[in-house]
Amino acid sequence: MAERRLAAGPGRVLLVVYVVFAISAGARALYQIAVQFERAPEAYVLSAFAAAVYLVAAVALGRGARRVALVAVVVELVGVLGIGTLSLLRPEDFPDPTVWSDFGIGYGFVPVVLPILGLLWIRRASRP
């Protein structure tokens, strides 16, 4: 039995969600960096980084680049867990939220669930 394509079946849904998050987080970060950068530069740069990670994951899933997808999703998981924890322990360091603040509460916690689903799918799609 051949390996499953990353962008087939449930992978297609993941791909769409990653594209939506790349666009929404990227547009928000670009606006914030362009218009109000001095207000919370770290938060806005972190959101731009998150958008870049979502974009890399989306492209990798779409092209079937398993290793790149795996690295992107692991970076995403580490980011959301790290920033989520820091934003709860040191809220004064996050005057404006990032995509990953409070584990993605502003995005319905999808940012903390998405990498877990992504890792599960990559693992499942990689099995013969």
Side-chain angles (χ1 to χ4, degrees):
M1 184 175 180
E3 289 184 343
R4 296 178 193 197
R5 291 190 53 227
L6 286 178
R12 182 166 290 162
V13 175
L14 280 174
L15 175 60
V16 169
V17 174
Y18 273 109
V19 169
V20 168
F21 267 73
I23 292 168
S24 64
R28 178 181 173 186
L30 286 175
Y31 172 80
Q32 291 171 321
I33 289 169
V35 175
Q36 54 197 37
F37 185 72
E38 65 285 340
R39 182 172 161 174
E42 296 87 2
Y44 304 150
V45 170
L46 280 170
S47 286
F49 176 74
V53 171
Y54 292 135
L55 180 61
V56 169
V59 170
L61 287 170
R63 293 189 174 182
R66 293 177 196 288
R67 287 186 185 185
V68 175
L70 180 63
V71 169
V73 173
V74 167
V75 167
E76 175 192 3
L77 182 60
V78 169
V80 74
L81 292 176
I83 298 303
T85 301
L86 282 174
S87 64
L88 291 174
L89 295 176
R90 300 183 52 94
E92 66 276 4
D93 290 345
F94 296 88
D96 275 2
T98 73
V99 176
W100 293 338
S101 294
D102 301 323
F103 303 104
I105 193 170
Y107 290 84
F109 295 106
V110 172
V112 77
V113 174
L114 187 59
I116 295 166
L117 294 176
L119 289 172
L120 291 172
W121 177 248
I122 292 167
R123 180 174 176 242
R124 182 168 185 216
S126 296
R127 287 188 292 187

